[in-house]
Amino acid sequence: MAAQTHPMLGANGLSIVAAAVRDGEFHCKSHNDRVSAASAMAHRYLTRDAKDSNLFRPGDNAADLLDRARTLGKLPDADAASLPERKVATVRDPQTVDAGNRLRNLDEGTVLALMESFKAYSQQQPIVVYGREADAVVRLGAGGHRLEASRRLGIKVLCFHADGDELDRQLCEIDENLIRADLTPSDKALFLARRKEIYLIKHPETAKGAAQANASNAAQGRGGQIVRDAKTFTAATAQATGQDERTIRRDVERGEKISVAAIQMLRGTVHDKGVTLDKLKRLETPEAQMVFARELIASDRAKKAETKEMRTAEQASNRESRMRMVNLIADHGRKSGYAMPRAAYPIGYADPPWQQEAWSDETGQDKGLKYPSMTVEAIKALCAGDKSPFTRDAVLLLWVTANRLPDGIAVLEAWGFEFVTSLVWDKVNIGMGRWTRDRHEILLIGKRGTISLAPLPGTQPQSVHAEPKTEHSRKPVWYAEQIDRLWPGMRKLELFQRKGSLAEGDIRLNGMWDFWGNQAGSPESEVA
């Protein structure tokens, strides 16, 4: 499909589009103007104001039309001379751009998104800097996120060089922020109040209004029209940012009548709303405004504390109900004197006798284990499927050595559990090992079922516990204490453990723990 070619307008239409680009808008004063403007609007050279049918603004194709008309020699010299010079972007090292102190902090998500966009499509929208191309360092006007993305990627940054002083630079930054759609009411109040301060410094004659300024000019023989760049603050800001003048006046009034400290206190909170700012505005003194803002923040904190307390109590109550339900299910499980119990325990704790190759570099042979071991397949089959001693909703904690980690995960899965996390025992003293000198063991944690038995927030144990090892294979009582603390009142089964081997005072002797031991591959069980 051939590209669409937009037609060239007549002289009056071109002049109207040029005036709209030059001034930001054009107001029709005659029937001929309206006809020409309507024709230009049909080709997206202009857009019509929704409320004023005689008011037109530049459209998407306006700049292209004027460039084409200038090239063809159809644009009147007077119109061509009055148009602002079109900027040409240049590239420079982003490290030579001084960002200075910005009104808003950079948003990390925006920077990362721009980096991905730059990688795919390069930088499309230049930043605005103040200074000459030949300057070693220039000052950033607008485009902080684009500048930061370019710096991180280590690429050149596209720049538009603008002329002006520090006040112009600040106006540039403010205007870019005001165009954004994500500003809060507090942001707008602060930015517009600051913009008005700067604007009145640069154009003090506008403080008395456009009509008085025009009369003053006429009286002094300077003509009856005020210079174009000395519009009233509200009109100039509306043109620069595309905002409604009534909205601008409202936000400026908020920024001027509310203390900066009070606005900053509410900025970004749930009270950063126009209705709250209007209440602050009606208070006569900055002190009263600060008291009001502090009361709002204090009320928020009290509500959050109360909500957190209620949420914690509700979580505890819900968890207690879940644990009670799982215990009722466990009561229907089967326990017999010398066989593996069936579906009777919601909490499992196991230290399987893994087969190990304890190598010695001196002898190069397996030194053997001090207790009978089981193959991985035998351990997996022990509690698989219908032979499981655990309830449908359960938690399993399974010890595994570092070199057996994949086997430990496999056993968890064979027993019907999903791995969620782990604890680590730091044995303090270094042991043997072929690839590394082992100093730790891992306690895998798995879950299954639909009823959550996860610890309540704030009760979770630390992930690493350091305690010197004692005799071979004996695990610190600390882990059993954590299990009992996290799941009080729930029946627990410890596999590969004899009740008679526990020391006096062990938490597992409190009546909530049962034991099953498997020695030398034959069931010599004890279920208390």
Side-chain angles (χ1 to χ4, degrees):
M1 181 176 178
Q4 182 179 5
T5 301
H6 295 289
M8 186 64 63
L9 299 180
N12 190 47
L14 286 174
S15 293
I16 289 175
V17 174
V21 170
R22 181 189 65 227
D23 300 332
E25 61 186 29
F26 178 83
H27 198 275
C28 296
K29 298 179 177 61
S30 67
H31 174 71
N32 287 338
D33 285 349
R34 284 190 289 273
V35 172
S36 297
S39 176
M41 185 180 69
H43 301 290
R44 295 171 59 190
Y45 300 141
L46 296 175
T47 62
R48 193 196 302 265
D49 186 84
K51 297 180 180 180
D52 186 348
S53 62
N54 288 318
L55 183 61
F56 292 83
R57 295 186 177 87
D60 295 339
N61 299 324
D64 291 338
L65 170 68
L66 296 178
D67 281 346
R68 192 150 51 92
R70 197 195 309 256
T71 301
L72 296 174
K74 294 184 176 294
L75 189 66
D77 292 341
D79 288 329
S82 67
L83 288 173
E85 181 182 354
R86 295 196 70 184
K87 296 289 185 180
V88 177
T90 60
V91 296
R92 66 182 300 134
D93 184 347
Q95 303 300 331
T96 66
V97 180
D98 178 13
N101 296 321
R102 311 301 290 170
L103 292 172
R104 301 186 79 202
N105 295 326
L106 294 179
D107 178 71
E108 182 65 16
T110 301
V111 174
L112 294 177
L114 283 172
M115 290 174 66
E116 292 302 315
S117 175
F118 287 5
K119 292 176 185 177
Y121 308 110
S122 75
Q123 181 191 350
Q124 300 295 316
Q125 177 64 39
I127 67 172
V128 179
V129 297
Y130 281 77
R132 297 169 301 177
E133 293 183 33
D135 292 343
V137 177
V138 292
R139 295 165 297 159
L140 175 64
H145 288 94
R146 281 162 276 160
L147 175 64
E148 180 63 19
S150 299
R151 282 178 172 171
R152 295 190 190 182
L153 291 173
I155 62 176
K156 300 284 187 178
V157 62
L158 281 172
C159 302
F160 282 149
H161 288 263
D163 297 324
D165 55 20
E166 178 60 20
L167 294 179
D168 291 312
R169 190 196 68 77
Q170 290 186 42
L171 284 175
C172 178
E173 181 189 359
I174 290 172
D175 289 348
E176 183 182 69
N177 278 283
L178 288 173
I179 293 170
R180 298 165 62 105
D182 60 347
L183 290 181
T184 69
S186 290
D187 288 332
K188 293 179 182 178
L190 289 171
F191 290 161
L192 280 166
R194 177 56 180 157
R195 192 186 199 282
K196 185 173 182 180
E197 290 177 1
I198 297 172
Y199 191 83
L200 294 183
I201 292 173
K202 292 188 68 66
H203 305 290
E205 71 278 12
T206 64
K208 52 190 175 181
Q212 293 180 352
N214 285 336
S216 175
N217 286 344
Q220 298 178 37
R222 294 184 298 181
Q225 296 299 317
I226 191 169
V227 289
R228 189 177 66 245
D229 62 352
K231 294 180 180 179
T232 62
F233 163 75
T234 305
T237 303
Q239 178 180 331
T241 65
Q243 295 192 16
D244 179 76
E245 291 191 20
R246 181 178 178 183
T247 301
I248 292 171
R249 285 192 291 268
R250 179 201 64 193
D251 291 333
V252 168
E253 186 179 21
R254 289 171 178 170
E256 289 179 329
K257 291 188 176 181
I258 304 173
S259 72
V260 173
I263 292 182
Q264 291 283 16
M265 185 175 293
L266 300 181
R267 193 178 184 186
T269 71
V270 295
H271 299 292
D272 193 349
K273 301 175 181 178
V275 63
T276 306
L277 296 181
D278 287 338
K279 290 179 180 178
L280 276 172
K281 183 180 68 177
R282 289 192 286 268
L283 298 176
E284 295 183 355
T285 65
E287 292 74 15
Q289 293 171 354
M290 286 297 296
V291 169
F292 182 76
R294 288 195 188 100
E295 288 176 350
L296 288 176
I297 299 302
S299 175
D300 281 350
R301 290 172 180 166
K303 288 179 181 178
K304 286 181 181 178
E306 182 180 358
T307 301
K308 182 179 180 181
E309 184 178 348
M310 292 174 62
R311 185 169 60 247
T312 300
E314 183 180 2
Q315 288 174 338
S317 176
N318 291 342
R319 186 170 188 267
E320 184 178 349
S321 298
R322 293 195 301 270
M323 293 170 65
R324 187 161 52 246
M325 181 182 298
V326 173
N327 269 340
L328 288 173
I329 296 172
D331 287 342
H332 289 82
R334 299 193 302 267
K335 304 177 187 178
S336 59
Y338 296 102
M340 177 72 75
R342 295 290 182 266
Y345 297 92
I347 306 299
Y349 184 43
D351 184 14
W354 303 100
Q355 282 186 337
Q356 298 286 353
E357 292 182 349
W359 285 86
S360 166
D361 285 334
E362 288 76 22
T363 63
Q365 64 184 14
D366 184 355
K367 295 165 60 177
L369 298 172
K370 297 182 179 180
Y371 54 86
S373 63
M374 295 176 65
T375 65
V376 173
E377 293 305 316
I379 296 173
K380 290 166 67 175
L382 186 65
C383 299
D386 293 339
K387 295 185 291 183
S388 175
F390 307 113
T391 53
R392 180 190 62 188
D393 303 283
V395 174
L396 174 64
L397 298 98
L398 180 79
W399 281 105
V400 63
T401 53
N403 64 327
R404 286 289 190 185
L405 182 56
D407 294 332
I409 300 290
V411 169
L412 271 183
E413 294 175 348
W415 288 9
F417 289 84
E418 172 192 354
F419 170 75
V420 290
T421 189
S422 64
L423 300 173
V424 173
W425 171 27
D426 176 4
K427 301 180 180 181
V428 181
N429 299 313
I430 298 175
M432 299 295 293
R434 183 165 182 81
W435 289 89
T436 63
R437 297 289 300 278
D438 293 340
R439 177 176 156 168
H440 74 284
E441 281 193 48
I442 303 169
L443 182 59
L444 304 177
I445 302 177
K447 67 172 184 178
R448 74 178 186 185
T450 57
I451 300 178
S452 174
L453 298 176
L456 286 172
T459 68
Q460 305 95 325
Q462 60 189 23
S463 62
V464 178
H465 174 71
E467 184 176 324
K469 62 182 179 180
T470 54
E471 63 265 34
H472 188 75
S473 188
R474 185 175 292 276
K475 301 302 185 291
V477 179
W478 182 85
Y479 291 94
E481 292 173 345
Q482 299 308 308
I483 295 171
D484 203 79
R485 178 181 64 83
L486 293 173
W487 296 282
M490 301 196 78
R491 302 299 305 181
K492 305 167 186 69
L493 176 66
E494 182 171 2
L495 300 174
F496 311 107
Q497 175 65 275
R498 284 174 165 269
K499 182 177 181 180
S501 68
L502 302 179
E504 184 178 353
D506 193 300
I507 192 68
R508 288 167 287 185
L509 298 176
N510 63 6
M512 296 304 298
W513 292 71
D514 292 336
F515 306 89
W516 186 91
N518 189 349
Q519 300 295 328
S522 61
E524 181 182 345
S525 309
E526 177 182 319
V527 177

